[in-house]
Amino acid sequence: MTNCNSQKFPSTCQESTLIKTFHNTGEVIRYQEIDPISVSLLDGVVLRQENGKYYKAIYTENTINVEWYRCTYPTDLVNGTGDKVMLTKAINTAGYLGATLRFDAKEYILNEQLSFVDISCFKLLGDKQHTVIKSNSNQRFNSYYLKFTNCNNLVIDGIRINQNKSNLQVYTQADYDNAGNELMRDFNGGIYITDSTDIEVTNCSFLDLYTRGLQFYGCNEGDIKVTHNYFESEIQTQMYRMEHLGLTQSHNVNFTVENNIFKNKVPRDGSGNPIPNPDQMPCGIFAFDCGLFGLLFINNNYFEFCGRNNTGHHRLYAIDFYDNVNNFVMTNNVFRNTTWGAIRFDSTRKNAVISNNIIHQLIADDSGIINSSTRGSQVEFKNILISNNTIETSSDQSFGIILQSQYDNIISDNINILNNTFNKLKRIITVIGNISSINISSNIASDVRGPAVVFEAYTSNNVFDSSGNITSSTHKVTSTVGNVLINNNNFKSIQSGEGFVGILINGVTIYSQSNLDIYKNFTKRFVISNNLIFGNTQGYGITINSINEFDPMPSDPQVIAGNSLDGKVTISNNEISDVGRGLYLRCHKTIAKDNILFNCTINAILEDYTDNIKFQNYYNNTPI
């Protein structure tokens, strides 16, 4: 950490010998003679040279004023440079002196990026309601208004940045770099900070988003705080880069993102009702390659109309951690009228907590309101807690939580989905692939359209055509899946309609004894106990199912030896009410014990085989 206690100019009792008046601010500034300094540091305002001597302004509370520079370095609107020279001089001096640079309550014009390198221990302080940095051009410029490289112990407080999207051309595929490899460029971004430590951005506003508002990149130690800021975007007609806040490739940093607002505007109809379009809503926070040794704390933020669909090249979710983000906590956030998924954390290795968030999804997506998918580069997926979240939708086609892993080399462990509340979703919790040691307990869901809990206990080899469509799929179990507890949940169906299933576990039908021996070695226990499942006289309570290893099946398959779930499932102490079929057992040697099956309108217990564990009335299962 940079030592901010060192003084460039130790205080003395020397009387000031130079006095200047800044007529534009009305201030009379006294100067003190100092030892000679590099001519490159002289700004003619705070650091001066007169009559062969060097002087420094004596300022109150270590604060200098941008406006002192205006007469010496006036705004140049004719040549399009705006306040570039004035702001460059003022910020560099503040950084050199370790001072606070105060901005006036007015607009500052920039039509190009200002870059600052190797200055530390300073603060940019504006009037958070009226200090605005903006462009007055309809021509965009590369990168960001302000870029800081190796600038440590920096505070940016109370500055509004207008990114001018409303006056600029639409960002298109032509804005890829010349290599054509889809590395898109930023234009008119807000603030970019790289290779820096101990940063705080607070009480700022990032308005009229064009590409990205605030981004950190390659900051590999210390603490970074983003607090009490406001991020806003008009509707986006472009299909490409657009994210409010980026936390990127900063493995060792402790990020705190707290008490911020991410708000995207939508048009309204004649009655004032919003007309959102998932093509047009940017992502709130995105991150990649963070949290290896540091921590990400995302707390008490507000998201409104956030989330983009799959059209174009951009981050999708309101919070999108899409590659190798570990050791994070997302808690107490509010997602209002989400226009795609709320939280994604793809390729997370370990240590993730998502808790106590309130999520309302306005427009359904096809990949889960909370979603995680592993990547082939991972070796582990463990210590994941999703708990105490409230998730509701205005659509009946949304999926709640989806976790999936299709890679045999990944070891998963300690996955917990606990105490969440769901309302009006098509599917509640979906787990796909070789995910093991998972606890799905004490969740409650009402108005469920389809299967509440689905566990696809296998991975898939998919074959795609030239258009990206799956033409065939082979299912397999070649790494550990199972050790699953689904316990003490309360699921209630929609009032009418088919499709509801309380809990559905899908294994794989095997066509050879040798494969069956391998598959059963990797498949561990599934325990489904103490759940309350309430239907609408249709659908199923609990189904243990079988998926063909080959799709379509071979015309002359070998003798079917069994299913990967044979003898691996225990269903006990559940109460299932008002469904068409209570237990649908499609595998061998399933243990069904002490269940109460109330008012099953078609079958209390339906089985494909007669070798299920079923003495003493199916271990005291009680159809009523």
Side-chain angles (χ1 to χ4, degrees), residues 440-455:
I440 301 173
S441 296
S442 301
N443 300 285
I444 184 169
S446 60
D447 209 4
V448 182
R449 263 64 179 162
V453 173
V454 177
F455 202 118

Side-chain angles (χ1 to χ4, degrees), residues 74-366:
T75 296
D76 184 358
L77 297 178
V78 175
N79 296 311
T81 59
D83 292 313
K84 170 189 174 181
V85 178
M86 178 180 73
L87 291 177
T88 301
K89 289 290 186 179
I91 292 174
N92 276 321
T93 297
Y96 176 68
L97 296 175
T100 294
L101 177 64
R102 189 178 75 244
F103 289 73
D104 211 344
K106 61 177 297 177
E107 292 182 349
Y108 295 86
I109 303 301
L110 283 179
N111 292 315
E112 60 184 289
Q113 176 176 276
L114 301 188
S115 296
F116 303 93
V117 181
D118 296 331
I119 55 178
S120 297
C121 302
F122 67 103
K123 179 177 183 178
L124 306 183
L125 176 63
D127 178 316
K128 66 180 182 180
Q129 295 298 325
H130 303 104
T131 299
V132 179
I133 294 176
K134 61 177 293 186
S135 169
N136 67 346
S137 172
N138 60 5
Q139 299 297 312
R140 58 190 186 175
F141 60 86
N142 281 319
S143 202
Y144 292 70
Y145 283 92
L146 302 176
K147 179 180 180 181
F148 298 94
T149 302
N150 194 27
C151 297
N152 307 312
N153 298 93
L154 164 64
V155 177
I156 303 174
D157 185 349
I159 294 177
R160 299 166 67 88
I161 296 183
N162 187 319
Q163 295 159 85
N164 202 34
K165 177 259 177 190
S166 300
N167 298 314
L168 302 178
Q169 68 189 68
V170 172
Y171 194 109
T172 69
Q173 188 172 2
D175 294 315
Y176 288 169
D177 68 354
N178 293 332
N181 59 1
E182 301 187 6
L183 293 177
M184 292 170 280
R185 295 173 290 178
D186 292 326
F187 297 94
N188 285 64
I191 298 174
Y192 187 91
I193 299 175
T194 182
D195 295 321
S196 302
T197 64
D198 299 300
I199 309 296
E200 182 173 359
V201 179
T202 186
N203 295 312
C204 293
S205 296
F206 298 85
L207 310 172
D208 204 7
L209 176 73
Y210 186 61
T211 54
R212 288 177 175 170
L214 171 62
Q215 183 168 354
F216 298 88
Y217 178 85
C219 300
N220 280 317
E221 62 179 50
D223 298 291
I224 291 177
K225 298 179 180 179
V226 181
T227 63
H228 299 93
N229 300 288
Y230 180 81
F231 297 83
E232 182 183 271
S233 175
E234 304 292 334
I235 61 171
Q236 297 281 352
T237 55
Q238 64 199 52
M239 297 168 57
Y240 300 94
R241 173 166 291 190
M242 61 199 79
E243 295 90 22
H244 288 292
L245 170 63
L247 316 173
T248 59
Q249 289 194 348
S250 300
H251 280 300
N252 304 331
V253 168
N254 294 317
F255 282 104
T256 298
V257 181
E258 194 168 27
N259 298 314
N260 302 284
I261 295 174
F262 299 86
K263 185 175 183 179
N264 297 323
K265 292 185 176 181
V266 299
R268 306 268 174 172
D269 64 18
S271 301
N273 299 310
I275 311 173
N277 184 339
D279 288 347
Q280 300 173 337
M281 301 296 107
C283 160
I285 303 171
F286 81 99
F288 66 89
D289 277 340
C290 292
L292 183 62
F293 298 106
L295 170 72
L296 289 82
F297 183 57
I298 315 296
N299 178 61
N300 204 37
N301 301 284
Y302 177 83
F303 301 84
E304 184 171 356
F305 294 114
C306 287
R308 278 292 294 254
N309 63 20
N310 287 303
T311 304
H313 295 257
H314 42 69
R315 303 278 50 89
L316 305 178
Y317 283 55
I319 298 179
D320 204 336
F321 289 3
Y322 67 95
D323 192 12
N324 193 22
V325 180
N326 307 289
N327 295 301
F328 65 81
V329 177
M330 298 181 191
T331 184
N332 299 310
N333 301 287
V334 174
F335 301 81
R336 183 172 180 267
N337 292 328
T338 302
T339 46
W340 200 249
I343 298 170
R344 177 167 68 168
F345 56 110
D346 281 3
S347 190
T348 290
R349 271 75 165 166
K350 60 182 179 179
N351 304 339
V353 175
I354 300 172
S355 68
N356 297 97
N357 301 287
I358 298 175
I359 302 171
H360 171 254
Q361 186 178 55
L362 184 64
I363 298 177
D365 70 279
D366 60 4

Side-chain angles (χ1 to χ4, degrees), residues 405-417:
S405 175
Q406 303 281 4
Y407 299 96
D408 295 333
N409 60 303
I410 297 173
I411 299 173
S412 66
D413 203 5
N414 294 344
I415 315 296
N416 293 277
I417 303 175

Side-chain angles (χ1 to χ4, degrees), residues 332-434:
N332 299 310
N333 301 287
V334 174
F335 301 81
R336 183 172 180 267
N337 292 328
T338 302
T339 46
W340 200 249
I343 298 170
R344 177 167 68 168
F345 56 110
D346 281 3
S347 190
T348 290
R349 271 75 165 166
K350 60 182 179 179
N351 304 339
V353 175
I354 300 172
S355 68
N356 297 97
N357 301 287
I358 298 175
I359 302 171
H360 171 254
Q361 186 178 55
L362 184 64
I363 298 177
D365 70 279
D366 60 4
S367 53
I369 295 171
I370 297 177
N371 174 285
S372 180
S373 297
T374 59
R375 303 279 180 85
S377 58
Q378 287 180 241
V379 295
E380 61 184 356
F381 180 61
K382 66 180 184 180
N383 304 337
I384 310 298
L385 174 63
I386 303 175
S387 69
N388 296 295
N389 300 287
T390 299
I391 301 175
E392 67 166 358
T393 76
S394 295
S395 167
D396 58 8
Q397 298 300 310
S398 296
F399 287 27
I401 298 171
I402 297 180
L403 305 180
Q404 66 173 321
S405 175
Q406 303 281 4
Y407 299 96
D408 295 333
N409 60 303
I410 297 173
I411 299 173
S412 66
D413 203 5
N414 294 344
I415 315 296
N416 293 277
I417 303 175
L418 311 174
N419 298 301
N420 299 286
T421 300
F422 304 86
N423 182 57
K424 199 178 180 182
L425 279 79
K426 183 174 183 178
R427 188 179 291 186
I428 304 304
I429 298 167
T430 303
V431 182
I432 302 172
N434 60 314

